[in-house]
Each structure stands twice: as structure tokens, then as C-alpha cells.
Amino acid sequence: MPERRPPERDVDDSRLEVGPPKQVVAGLPGIWHAMQHGLEEAGVARSVRALRRMNQKGGFDCPSCAWPDPDDRKMAEFCENGAKAVAWETDRKRVDTGFWTTYPASDLAERSEYWLGQQGRLVEPVHKPEGSDHYEPISWEAAFDLIARELGALDSPDEAVFYTSGRTSNEAAYVYQLFVRAFGTNNLPDCSNMCHESTSVALAETIGVGKASVTYDDFLEAELIIVMGQNPGTNHPRMLIALEEAKRNGTSIIAINPMPEPGLMRFKNPQRPSGIAGKGTALADLHLPVRLGGDMALLQAVQKRVLAMGPEVLDTQFLADRTAGLEALREHLAALSEDDVREATGLTSGQIDDLARRYVASERTIVCWAMGLTQHKAAVATIREIVNLQALRGNIGKPGAGLAPIRGHSNVQGDRTMGIWEKPRPEFLDALEREFGIPMPREDGYDVVDSIRAMRDGRAKVFFALGGNFVSAVSDTDVAIAALRRTRLTVQVSTKLNRSHGVTGAQALILPTLGRTERDVQRSGPQFVSVEDTVCAVHASRGRLEPASPHLRSEVAIVCGVASRTLGPRGAGIDWQGFTDDYDRIREHIGRTVPGCHDYNHRVRQRGGFVLPHGPRDSRTFPTASGRLELTVNTLEWPRVPAGRLLLQTVRSHDQFNTTIYGLDDRYRGVHRGRRVVFVNPDDLAELGIADGSMVDLHSEWSDEVDRHVHDFRVIAYPTARGCAAAYFPETNPLVPLDHQADRSGTPVSKAIVVRLEPARTPPGPAAPR
């Protein structure tokens, strides 16, 4: 075994540069940065072949965000970050056998996500035996046997946790949940638990469907689009094209966010001549810098103003015929304190008056939101307030209007549709039992946070991840790491390295899988998969590139191989080999068991796919207990921050997608060659006596008095809302307490962390991952 050596420092913080934030996004720089990644990582030919087919009918779905595709596709139907995602997946570098000999698992745990992602594609299954610190090659059959033995040795199926990432296709998700339930548990946590779970809960309670009530074309017909807690310029860049088109149609846009994000200021569409040589398009007509956690108060204040304007501004027919609870809502809002609203939001009464006037002036309004709303303690109540507001004007179930949660991962919504959920509906389990003749478990399973608690406490002993980077995605990183290390076996199905591969149970497996861009050929011939975007549109995805290695297997083949080996006679009623040979057989079962998916094989083959039914959107019918849209009364709450402290939110840089770090620049915010930065309002810095550019440690403060901290962050004076700060995840995930969760949804509260800033004191011992 080679001598253990300290890891090279892959990010040199001394090279970090900070400049002014941009006032315009995309344009020629966007083209350059998109192509640069492709040329450096994939090469010219492979990069061009991939990009020309991305998001095209008959091509493959972007492995990045879940923004929908227009019916009329452009020649280049992708954004800068989509191009980076494809370059990352089509990387020419390979993680070969020599790599595993050189780098112990414990070394990988100390690396940054950037370094790990730069090592190339995984090309062979590997196993870390108990007592060893090194992975070594293993055959696929031996890997499946190992998983089957460990699962079979458990005292209960509930001692296993089966995690899912949003990149998983509908077909893989369906067979995965089928395997897990046939095994005997509903422990199916997924990345939804950490992002839009609050949305799913709030919308299910109020309109009866936990999904968006808009289509792509609604964005082009809206008179007003309100974007709350969302940064589309970095997280959903193709959305800017739709916003630009809407703007050209006369739509007004309002941005409500603690930080002024350049992507909503001015957009230079690189597919238009004006986006190359001109000034681009100004998008947001108004920016309201609401304080973190103040959105609920703002929404209630706007509703109170709308109600005060009288019945002439309300959709009285819709409210009378389609809703329940108006009088209780009216009575509740009448007692709303304007002083509380100003304290919670940081906005003036005049700013809120302006928003209310703009809202009632629009006949067709869409409200969009993302993590800036869903990752708060009162997230579910806040999203219920969006429903309340939209219902007052009848802005649900009509063209150009509706509710638009913008999902972050390319098929996170499809996975939930296919049954990836720890709280399955009884009627879905009934359908599975009828279809396969196998009893399905009925008790709710673990969500993400519950899974960490179960592993921490010894109640879960096997962890299986179908994609994703669990360690870096979850809150309270140190607790999550310790929990995973208590397990008997960890299994990761992945395309490239990430930090989770270095945080293992007693034994560990890494199973390399095909990427979204690659050809999938099984016994019956070439296969395709399907995905669902953020507006409930389902379409096919066909990889076209040569796989990175002949030893890769598809996610469907991996899941079915594990299922067949693990279940044995218990799974006799399920044709796992047939599923692997021909994905049409999976889709036949989807069509008979998943609501809205009848005739799935035929409809998914239609050019452009099909849209799932949605009662509130399609017919203004609401599948709630009352059969009406439920207006709700929500007690106002917002985070209070002690003197000398700030409220921190975790955010992405422009060079990342979730926990995948493509590069070290966040050029829209003026940050280059580094990530350990914290953005703070200059007036707050003056009050705290902290100089712009100084180095600080961040300490989070919560009720358990545990000193959660991260070290060596450079302070950047930035025009965020007073009392608020921002820093990148996953670097600041250790600051989020495991038990700090949104009410009712359990989502980690990553957007409202009380922190104090102290002069940097680098701790002794191993350095934190860079």
C-alpha cells in the first residue's frame, strides 16, 4: 500500500479575487464560459454532438434543472449551466484502477467537491472491504451478491434506507420503488425532502395537487410574473429566455428576494443579435429586498390591502364557487399588525402598497418560487399564503396565471410521480398490489432527516443511494458523516466521484452508471427513458453518445440486478430481467398503476411527449377533502435575530449545480477563484465593526447550544437586505442543525440560520475540505 500523504490543496484561497457584481447576465461571456467547459472536458466533437441534441425532440433531457421545454425548440435549446452539466458528464478523464490504489477512502473524504468532480468518470464497480481504507475492483455479480447478503441479514427491512436523486429517470425510479416496497419498507427519502417538500405539502393541502398549476405558455401570456426567493440567472438560466419573451409581450416582472440577483436585472439573450451587440432586456420592473423569512408577512400584508380595496378587485364568482374559508381569512388578516409586517419584511408600507397596486392591476398573474421560500421554518404556511393571494383574484386555472414552484433538478418531480416517497398514498399501494400480487408495506418510512437519525442511532444499517451526493446535500454535515459511518454497508450509484464516496459504512460499494447523454442498449435494442419537468410535462430522453466504458450499466439494470438477487422467490411475480431487457415493459406497468399515466408507452412516444392531468389547472376542480380550494389562516411568524447576529442563507454560486462544483467563479456576484466567502450588507458590517475583505469564522446559534462552525471565510460587502447574509453550500451546510426543520414538511431550514461572525481562527488538526 502506498504511503499515506496529505491531500494536495486543490483550492488556494489566497488567489480569491472579488470585484463588483454584474449588472447584466449571459451575452457573449455566457457563450464563452459554456463552450470553455465543453472544450476542456469533453473535447470539440463530443461536446458538439451532445449539445446539438440536448433538450431537442428525439434527443436527451438536460441533466441540470427542471425548466420546461417550449414546443418550438431553438437550435441551441440549452443554457450555460446546462452546457457545464453536459461537459461534466461527458468528461474524457477516467477514474481507473490505479486511482483507487493511490487514494484511500479517508483521503477522498477530505477533498473538495471541485477536486473530486475533476477526476473524471467512474468506469468500474469498486468495493471497500471491512477493515480496509481502499476501494478495489469487484465484478457486478459479486457486488449484487454482497448487497443481497447485507440486506438479507437485517432484522427488519426498515433497517435499510434507499435514497434517490432527482436525476433518476421515471423508469429507474419506478423499478426502484417497486424493489424497495417488495423488500418490505417505505424508507424512500429523496432530494425533494430537502428542497420542494414544503411546496408539495402546502399545495396538496390547499389545491389538492402538489405541483405547478401553469404550463410553459402561461409565462408568455401573463400580465405580471412575481418571482419570490428564486435566482433564475444561476439556478434556472433558460427561464430568462421565457421571461424575456414575456417582457416583449408586455409582461411586468417583480423580484422579491433579499439579494439583488443580476439575472433578474438585465438579460442579454445570446440567441438574439441584441443579446450579442445590444444592451439586452431589462427584466424586473421592481425589486423588493425582503428580509429572510419575511415573505409570509409580506404576502399577508398584500392580501389585507387587496381585501381592503373592496369586492370590485376580487374574483367574487371564483371565491364563491370554488373556495372555502374566505371569511375566516378576512377576519384573521384584519388583525394583522403593520408594525409586525415592517419588522418582519424590512420594507416600508409604501413599498408594500406599490406591490399590492401592481398585483390588482394585473388580470393574469403567475407567482414563482424556489428554495428561498421552501427552506424556512414557516415555509408551508408561506406557500399557503401564495395560494390565498392568487385565489383572491382568481389566478388559478386560467391562461397566463397560476402557481409556479420551480423545481431544481431535472426529474425530481417525475421521481415523486413514480412513487419515490416515504409517505405513499394508499391507493397507489393498492394499485401495486393488484398489479404484482405482492403485499406492500403500509407504514410511512424515513425522510432524509429521519434517515440520518436512524443511522445515527443504529436503527438503519444499510444505506443505498441511487445517484446524488447525500453527505454534501444534507444539513448538519458532521452528524450526517458520523451517521453514515455507523452503517454496515453504503452503496452509491454514480457517474462521477463526490464526497459521499469517502464517507462509508464498514463496507462500501460504488456502482458506475450510464449518464443521461449516453446510449443505453439492452437485449431488445436501444432504450430510452422518460422524465417530467416542473410543469408536469412528460417526455422521452434518448442518450446518443458512446458510453464512457463498456462496463457501465444503466440505473434500470443496476436496480433490477440488485432486486432479483435480493428478493429471490419473494419477487417471483416481478419480471426483473424483462424490465432490464426492454423498458417498454416497465412503462406498461406505469400506465396501469400511476395516476394520469394511462397508455404511457404510446403517449411518451408522441413528439414532445404529453402533459399529466391537473384538476386545478385544467378545470378549476380541487381534489381536496371539501372539493374546494382551501383558503387558510396562518399565524404570522418570522425569525428573530439577537443583537450582534445575522441571519444566513445558503446559496449556489454560478459555477455549481446543487453539490456539483464546475468551477470556482461566481462572476455574476463578482467572486473569482474561490468559494469561502460570506456576503453581508455594508451597513451591518459597519455596525458589527467588521471590515470588508476581512477573514471570519461563522458560528451558528441554535437552542441546543452546540458550536457549529466553519472557518476562514472572506467577508464581502454586498447589497443584501439588512440583517441578512449569504454563503455557498455545501461549505456552510455544517451550520444547519439537523433538528431545525420546516413545520409539517421536515425540510432543513437552510435559509434562516442565526450566525455570529468572529475573527478567523483556523482550528488545529485536519483542514476542512476545500
Side-chain angles (χ1 to χ4, degrees), residues 273-316:
S274 61
I276 302 297
K279 295 181 178 180
T281 304
L283 294 181
D285 300 276
L286 175 67
H287 170 236
L288 294 178
V290 67
R291 285 179 179 160
L292 287 165
D295 302 273
M296 182 181 178
L298 176 61
L299 289 161
Q300 289 191 353
V302 173
Q303 290 173 68
K304 182 177 181 178
R305 285 160 168 76
V306 171
L307 288 168
M309 293 178 192
E312 60 271 17
V313 305
L314 304 178
D315 189 331
T316 53

Side-chain angles (χ1 to χ4, degrees), residues 259-525:
M259 301 176 77
E261 299 292 5
L264 285 171
M265 293 178 184
R266 184 171 292 275
F267 172 53
K268 299 183 74 171
N269 187 343
Q271 302 199 47
R272 292 180 182 272
S274 61
I276 302 297
K279 295 181 178 180
T281 304
L283 294 181
D285 300 276
L286 175 67
H287 170 236
L288 294 178
V290 67
R291 285 179 179 160
L292 287 165
D295 302 273
M296 182 181 178
L298 176 61
L299 289 161
Q300 289 191 353
V302 173
Q303 290 173 68
K304 182 177 181 178
R305 285 160 168 76
V306 171
L307 288 168
M309 293 178 192
E312 60 271 17
V313 305
L314 304 178
D315 189 331
T316 53
Q317 195 69 50
F318 177 80
L319 290 168
D321 295 345
R322 306 287 182 172
T323 73
L326 177 60
E327 291 312 311
L329 175 64
R330 190 192 300 272
E331 181 180 350
H332 173 68
L333 292 175
L336 181 65
S337 164
E338 196 72 9
D339 288 340
D340 286 348
V341 169
R342 283 192 293 266
E343 180 184 340
T345 64
L347 303 174
T348 66
S349 295
Q351 288 174 302
I352 300 173
D353 291 342
D354 186 20
L355 175 59
R357 284 193 296 268
R358 291 171 185 257
Y359 179 72
V360 299
S362 167
E363 293 299 323
R364 300 183 302 277
T365 299
I366 293 174
V367 179
C368 312
W369 68 91
M371 305 303 97
L373 264 61
T374 64
Q375 294 178 330
H376 285 274
K377 188 173 185 299
V380 172
T382 299
I383 296 162
R384 289 194 299 220
E385 296 291 3
I386 294 176
V387 177
N388 286 345
L389 178 63
Q390 286 288 73
L392 294 181
R393 298 275 295 158
N395 278 314
I396 297 171
K398 68 181 182 182
L403 308 165
I406 307 299
R407 309 278 174 170
H409 214 316
S410 60
N411 197 41
V412 63
Q413 186 161 294
D415 289 350
R416 184 59 61 87
T417 299
M418 293 296 115
I420 300 292
W421 194 21
E422 74 279 359
K423 299 175 182 176
R425 297 186 186 281
E427 54 268 29
F428 177 65
L429 298 178
D430 292 343
L432 292 178
E433 289 186 352
R434 288 193 300 270
E435 185 75 5
F436 297 102
I438 296 175
M440 295 290 148
R442 297 289 167 157
E443 291 187 4
D444 288 350
Y446 298 140
D447 65 11
V448 163
V449 172
D450 287 336
S451 296
I452 297 172
R453 294 186 183 116
M455 290 185 286
R456 177 196 64 190
D457 299 340
R459 292 179 286 112
K461 299 176 176 125
V462 173
F463 176 81
F464 191 114
L466 188 61
N469 180 4
F470 190 79
V471 165
S472 288
V474 301
S475 54
D476 223 338
T477 310
D478 292 342
V479 174
I481 288 173
L484 281 166
R485 285 177 171 159
R486 289 204 65 190
T487 61
R488 288 282 310 147
L489 173 68
T490 51
V491 183
Q492 307 281 344
V493 179
S494 308
T495 56
K496 297 187 79 171
L497 281 170
N498 61 57
R499 195 178 176 203
S500 295
H501 299 132
V503 179
T504 72
Q507 295 189 79
L509 288 166
I510 302 175
L511 306 180
T513 189
L514 294 172
R516 188 78 61 80
T517 60
E518 293 169 319
R519 284 199 302 272
D520 182 355
V521 180
Q522 304 295 339
R523 288 182 185 176
S524 66

Side-chain angles (χ1 to χ4, degrees), residues 45-67:
R46 192 169 172 85
S47 181
V48 170
R49 283 200 303 272
L51 293 177
R52 63 189 288 265
R53 293 186 179 275
M54 184 159 65
N55 297 322
Q56 299 294 334
K57 296 173 182 177
F60 66 90
D61 192 69
C62 176
S64 185
C65 80
W67 182 250

Side-chain angles (χ1 to χ4, degrees), residues 28 93 157 201 273 334 337 369 428 443 454 524 566 572 665 681 702 740:
L28 281 174
K93 297 189 290 293
V201 172
S337 164
W369 68 91
F428 177 65
E443 291 187 4
S524 66
T566 300
D665 293 344
N681 186 288
W702 201 57
H740 195 17

